[in-house]
């Protein structure tokens, strides 16, 4: 379990944010033509249809985990989740493609996933432990991870289709904070201050901790650029070249510590 100060999330607001962002995706999925569903995405061989199916899977993961036996004790922190998911990537990709092939109607697929998800949340307390790939986490914490899945893959869909699917503010905030905290847990220290207004400020990288005045090493970017950096969808150099990122100070290059999502 990562040794870092845990950030608190309001469970009710997080659950509402997950459903709000999921419904933004559902609204967009209803408009997708067969040609749009077949478009390539920046995720290797994944099509738009595959990404939509995967977003249904992001809620069904809660259903699947609540159906498993409850672990005896908590063994992970929320910040342990982002680096742990790489191990499941091949299975996730295969399942998304299989779902997309078996369910040609994206809205029906998403509607069924939402119904199962809301039923699972109603049946279990937020303190219920789940056996995730990162270790045993509470249901409330695992719901926070769903904001990352939804925001990041909404961005994938927008990039592929140009639809302009909106981002729920609370979902974007939770996604930004979790990925920032994961970086701070991975590279603990106080030498660099990472600012992602208006949602997060963290200190990271081993070295002298700054306490007063302007920090000597400051990185600043916007939430979506941070999500792309943290998940490997854009590079440090690309973000700098596009003026989506500023980095001041001799230790402000964080490229060696990215991405943070496994």
């Amino acid at each position: 379990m990562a040794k870092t100060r845990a950030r608190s999330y309001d469970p009710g607001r997080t659950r509402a944010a997950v459903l709000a962002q999921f419904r933004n995706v559902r609204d967009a999925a209803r408009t997708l033509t067969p040609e749009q569903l077949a478009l390539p995405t920046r995720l290797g061989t994944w099509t738009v249809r595959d990404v939509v199916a995967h977003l249904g899977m992001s809620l069904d993961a809660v259903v699947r985990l609540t159906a498993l036996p409850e672990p005896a004790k908590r063994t992970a922190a929320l910040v342990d989740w982002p680096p742990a998911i790489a191990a499941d990537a091949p299975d996730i990709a295969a399942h998304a493609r299989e779902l997309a092939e078996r369910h040609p109607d994206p809205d029906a697929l998403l509607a069924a996933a939402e119904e199962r998800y809301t039923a699972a949340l109603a049946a279990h307390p937020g303190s219920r432990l789940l056996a995730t790939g990162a270790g045993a986490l509470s249901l409330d914490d695992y719901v926070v991870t769903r904001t990352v899945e939804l925001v990041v893959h909404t961005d994938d869909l927008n990039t592929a289709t140009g639809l302009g699917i909106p981002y729920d503010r609370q979902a974007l905030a939770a996604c930004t904070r979790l990925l920032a905290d994961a970086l701070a847990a991975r590279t603990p220290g106080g030498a660099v201050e990472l600012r992602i207004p208006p949602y997060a400020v963290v200190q990271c990288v081993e070295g002298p901790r700054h306490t007063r005045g302007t920090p000597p090493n400051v990185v600043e970017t916007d939430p979506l650029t941070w999500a792309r950096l943290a998940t490997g969808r854009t590079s440090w150099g690309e973000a700098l070249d596009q003026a989506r990122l500023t980095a001041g100070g001799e230790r402000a290059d964080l490229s060696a510590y990215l991405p943070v999502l496994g």
Side-chain angles (χ1 to χ4, degrees):
M1 186 184 297
K3 302 295 185 182
T4 188
R5 183 175 64 85
R7 187 190 298 270
S8 62
Y9 295 82
D10 180 275
R13 294 179 68 186
T14 304
R15 291 184 180 202
V18 168
L19 284 176
Q21 190 57 44
F22 192 77
R23 287 165 183 167
N24 287 344
V25 172
R26 279 193 63 192
D27 289 343
R30 294 188 190 102
T31 73
L32 291 169
T33 66
E35 292 75 20
Q36 287 174 311
L37 287 166
L39 286 172
T41 69
R42 58 190 175 190
L43 302 178
T45 60
W46 286 39
T47 65
V48 167
R49 185 185 294 276
D50 295 332
V51 174
V52 171
H54 177 67
L55 284 167
M57 288 171 54
S58 72
L59 295 197
D60 270 333
V62 174
V63 180
R64 176 177 57 83
L65 292 173
T66 54
L68 297 176
E70 182 173 8
K73 63 178 181 179
R74 184 184 180 105
T75 60
L78 183 53
V79 292
D80 294 322
W81 177 82
I85 66 171
D88 296 329
D91 287 343
I92 289 171
H95 190 196
R97 293 191 187 97
E98 184 209 356
L99 270 180
E101 291 171 1
R102 283 196 290 115
H103 299 277
D105 181 348
D107 185 53
L109 184 155
L110 297 180
E114 181 179 333
E115 182 176 356
R116 290 189 293 268
Y117 170 76
T118 54
L121 290 185
H124 298 278
S127 59
R128 203 265 196 203
L129 294 177
L130 306 180
T132 79
L137 289 171
S138 71
L139 174 58
D140 281 344
D141 275 354
Y142 194 70
V143 171
V144 178
T145 72
R146 302 304 85 191
T147 67
V148 176
E149 293 278 5
L150 285 163
V151 167
V152 168
H153 289 304
T154 295
D155 189 44
D156 292 332
L157 291 177
N158 281 336
T159 301
T161 66
L163 282 178
I165 304 168
Y167 299 89
D168 175 79
R169 180 179 175 85
Q170 185 63 29
L172 185 57
C175 169
T176 301
R177 290 165 182 156
L178 176 51
L179 293 175
D181 289 346
L183 174 68
R186 178 179 180 178
T187 59
V192 180
E193 185 166 283
L194 170 63
R195 300 172 178 173
I196 314 159
Y199 300 129
V201 177
V202 298
Q203 292 194 338
C204 56
V205 182
E206 185 177 0
R209 180 172 293 276
H210 177 77
T211 57
R212 300 181 65 183
T214 302
N217 301 285
V218 177
V219 174
E220 185 165 329
T221 189
D222 63 274
L224 281 178
T225 300
W226 170 241
R228 294 166 189 158
L229 286 164
T231 60
R233 282 158 170 77
T234 194
S235 71
W236 187 263
E238 289 168 341
L240 283 173
D241 290 345
Q242 295 165 7
R244 306 287 292 182
L245 167 73
T246 60
E250 62 180 18
R251 307 190 68 179
D253 186 343
L254 299 179
S255 58
Y257 312 115
L258 298 171
V260 297
L261 194 74

